[in-house]
Amino acid sequence: MAPKHHPTPLSGGDRKALAKELGRSRAMTTILAGQAAEARAKGEALIRQADKLLCEAFNERLWADGGPIAPSPAIDQALNGGYPWLEIECSRCRTKRDVDLAALRHPTTTAVHDLASRLRCSKCAKANRRPPATLLQLAQRPRQAAPET
C-alpha cells in the first residue's frame, strides 16, 4: 500500500503542527502494535489452556464411561493442548499401542473419537482380521516399553 500523502502547509506553524501530529501517529502505531502482539500471545495461551482442559475432560469421560465419546477434541486441539499421543487397545487380542497423532494421515480437524473405527491392530491384520481399536486415553508422552525378559 502506498504511503498516505499529506500536503505540506505553507506556514511554518502549520508545518510544525503537522510534523508533531505525524510523529504522534507513528508512536501510537508502535504502541498499538505492541498491545496487539501482547493480546494475541495471551489469547494463544488461553486457547492452549482450553485445549488442555478439553483433553483432560475427554480422558476422564473415557475412564468413567469406557467408550469413545462424542464430542471429543480434534487432532489439532489435542496437539495444541500437549496431548500428542493416543493410547489404544485391540478389541480382539488386547494389545496396547501408542499412536502419534501428529503422524496420522487424517485432517487435523478430525475428532479423536472418529479414529476408533479407523485404527486397526497390526498383529490381527496379519491373521486377516481387522477388529477396531478401543480408545484408552490421550497421553502427553508414550508409555514406556516393557523390558523383554
Side-chain angles (χ1 to χ4, degrees):
M1 186 170 169
K4 188 172 181 181
H5 175 69
H6 296 284
T8 306
L10 296 176
S11 70
D14 289 341
R15 280 194 302 268
K16 288 179 187 176
L18 177 64
K20 188 175 182 180
E21 288 300 318
L22 288 174
R24 283 185 188 158
S25 177
R26 290 184 184 114
M28 185 56 81
T29 301
T30 305
I31 291 170
L32 292 175
Q35 288 176 352
E38 183 180 319
R40 183 173 304 280
K42 285 181 185 177
E44 289 171 356
L46 287 174
I47 290 172
R48 197 172 309 110
Q49 178 68 17
D51 289 342
K52 180 180 179 185
L53 292 173
L54 183 63
C55 292
E56 289 173 1
F58 178 70
N59 281 344
E60 289 297 323
R61 284 191 321 233
L62 266 178
W63 182 81
D65 297 338
I69 298 164
S72 65
I75 293 173
D76 59 349
Q77 290 174 322
L79 293 173
N80 190 37
Y83 286 86
W85 295 94
L86 177 63
E87 293 181 12
I88 62 171
E89 179 181 64
C90 176
S91 59
R92 182 177 173 269
C93 67
R94 301 291 180 216
T95 302
K96 293 183 180 179
R97 189 176 100 179
D98 295 325
V99 177
D100 185 5
L101 292 175
L104 290 178
R105 288 189 190 181
H106 294 285
T108 57
T109 56
T110 303
V112 171
H113 74 274
D114 287 339
L115 296 174
S117 62
R118 298 176 186 176
L119 298 173
R120 305 287 182 199
C121 176
S122 56
K123 282 183 174 181
C124 293
K126 290 177 185 174
N128 291 329
R129 291 182 174 83
R130 309 262 311 154
T134 303
L135 300 181
L136 297 179
Q137 70 175 358
L138 289 167
Q140 292 180 336
R141 57 184 130 332
R143 288 179 289 120
Q144 297 294 328
E148 294 185 24
T149 56

